[in-house]
Amino acid sequence: MGLDDSCNTGLVLGLGLSPTPNNYNHAIKKSSTTVDHRLDPSLTLSLSGESYKTKTVEMTVVGAGDQICRQTSSHSGISSFSSGRIKREREICSGEEEAEETTERVVCSRVSEDHEDEEGVSARKKLRLTKQQSALLEESFKLHSTLNPKQKQALARQLNLRPRQVEVWFQNRRARTKLKQTEVDCEFLKKCCETLTDENRRLQKELQDLKALKLSQPFYMHMPAATLTMCPSCERLGGGGGAGGGGGTVAVDGGAATGPFSIVTKPRFYNPFTNPSAAC
DNA sequence: GCGCCCGCAGCATTTACCTCA
DNA sequence: CGTGAGGTAAATGCTGCGGGC
């Protein structure tokens, strides 16, 4: 992630406010679903955002029959699905049933097969994807973080999974990516905050030193030039105009030639958002 | 053109299962 | 062996968007 990536988000770090990065986390957590309306400082974690539109695909909900064959686990590995999401189940499942003969792949289960116990409580068993399946899904995710129905279908067929499972996997995968990115960004912002705090502290101290210097040498202007002190950090002559500063804040001048000792100054205030190398 | 409804996809959040220390 | 934490598959509810009317 480049620094610019996280800095073009309208995020503002304000010095002088108590740095509480945890608020950031909270904000992200609560900005649910209204991605477009984020006004709070936030990081936009945009994924590739392929947009596609599909037509309704009709399917027949197949009855029982598929078996779970787990390669690496000793559990039965039957995945169950609540029947409440019929809409979701209305996906193309053609071809899934073709995979019955495979000996090594996970095969999807069906709603009707989902054993409910006597009380009718569905027993949700967790499917564990094989390494092969995970690897292929990962590969696919690298190519596209979202899938169109055809891709989903093809992938599902390839993996002997139901399209819904592929879809869920991609959803969860996107969520994990986003979470990871959020953590990274949070760390980055913490560092930025620390850096800026340090910088501010340093500048405040520098200002105090300059003020003290000015007080101790009130008539320095009449002294020979050789005795003038030079600011060690910015190579600006001490006692230059406008060193008064207001209320503890450090004025960052643009190097305008106003006083008798005006020198072109280096840009002193460093903004981690524009100076990535120095920031973190 | 505009508003309404519908279907769909994606997301955030939650739940539940599984593994492992 | 029991347990808690962490990972993750799956469920649920909501929102935004596009298309049809």
Side-chain angles (χ1 to χ4, degrees):
Chain A
M1 174 192 71
L3 203 134
D4 287 345
D5 292 335
S6 45
C7 294
N8 294 333
T9 58
L11 187 92
V12 177
L13 263 183
L15 278 176
L17 298 173
S18 59
T20 52
N22 287 339
N23 292 344
Y24 169 71
N25 267 341
H26 188 68
I28 283 192
K29 196 111 179 148
K30 275 293 121 195
S31 70
S32 88
T33 67
T34 52
V35 182
D36 299 336
H37 304 145
R38 283 185 203 141
L39 297 176
D40 300 330
S42 64
L43 293 164
T44 305
L45 303 167
S46 60
L47 295 166
S48 69
E50 286 183 30
S51 178
Y52 47 81
K53 197 66 192 174
T54 61
K55 296 294 173 194
T56 306
V57 180
E58 295 297 334
M59 74 158 277
T60 4
V61 174
V62 186
D66 296 340
Q67 287 195 337
I68 299 283
C69 303
R70 298 191 52 192
Q71 181 185 7
T72 57
S73 170
S74 58
H75 338 358
S76 62
I78 298 172
S79 58
S80 66
F81 304 92
S82 102
S83 54
R85 205 91 199 270
I86 297 175
K87 181 178 86 176
R88 287 294 188 184
E89 294 297 332
R90 241 191 307 143
E91 295 185 53
I92 297 176
C93 268
S94 64
E96 288 176 42
E97 285 70 40
E98 299 163 6
E100 287 179 76
E101 81 284 0
T102 22
T103 57
E104 186 174 90
R105 299 293 188 86
V106 173
V107 179
C108 63
S109 63
R110 285 263 158 276
V111 173
S112 55
E113 163 188 62
D114 268 337
H115 11 297
E116 299 182 344
D117 61 24
E118 294 79 352
E119 281 82 37
V121 179
S122 71
R124 186 160 89 179
K125 289 286 180 183
K126 189 154 188 165
L127 167 76
R128 204 71 191 174
L129 298 173
T130 65
K131 282 186 178 179
Q132 274 182 326
Q133 287 172 320
S134 296
L136 193 51
L137 285 164
E138 282 289 344
E139 279 300 309
S140 182
F141 185 80
K142 281 179 190 171
L143 297 176
H144 321 276
S145 63
T146 57
L147 292 176
N148 64 35
K150 278 188 178 179
Q151 290 172 319
K152 192 201 301 180
Q153 187 64 31
L155 199 54
R157 197 170 304 192
Q158 198 175 350
L159 294 165
N160 282 334
L161 294 173
R162 286 176 305 111
R164 170 65 182 157
Q165 287 177 295
V166 174
E167 178 184 318
V168 166
W169 187 91
F170 268 74
Q171 273 180 9
N172 287 317
R173 186 66 179 75
R174 283 192 292 269
R176 285 196 293 275
T177 301
K178 189 168 184 176
L179 180 64
K180 218 171 192 173
Q181 187 60 51
T182 301
E183 287 171 357
V184 168
D185 291 340
C186 187
E187 281 305 307
F188 167 75
L189 286 174
K190 279 183 188 172
K191 282 189 178 180
C192 286
C193 186
E194 285 172 16
T195 305
L196 287 170
T197 303
D198 288 347
E199 175 75 356
N200 192 42
R201 202 172 292 135
R202 190 185 65 76
L203 290 171
Q204 300 256 19
K205 188 173 182 306
E206 189 179 314
L207 179 64
Q208 276 189 340
D209 290 347
L210 289 173
K211 279 181 178 174
L213 191 64
K214 187 177 180 181
L215 283 178
S216 66
Q217 296 180 339
F219 303 110
Y220 65 93
M221 290 180 73
H222 302 295
M223 296 176 183
T227 65
L228 290 174
T229 58
M230 187 86 80
C231 171
S233 75
C234 63
E235 299 172 11
R236 186 170 52 182
L237 289 177
T249 58
V250 177
V252 181
D253 67 60
T258 54
F261 310 116
S262 295
I263 295 177
V264 176
T265 60
K266 295 177 182 175
R268 298 170 51 225
F269 180 75
Y270 111 27
N271 181 353
F273 295 126
T274 56
N275 296 282
S277 61
C280 309

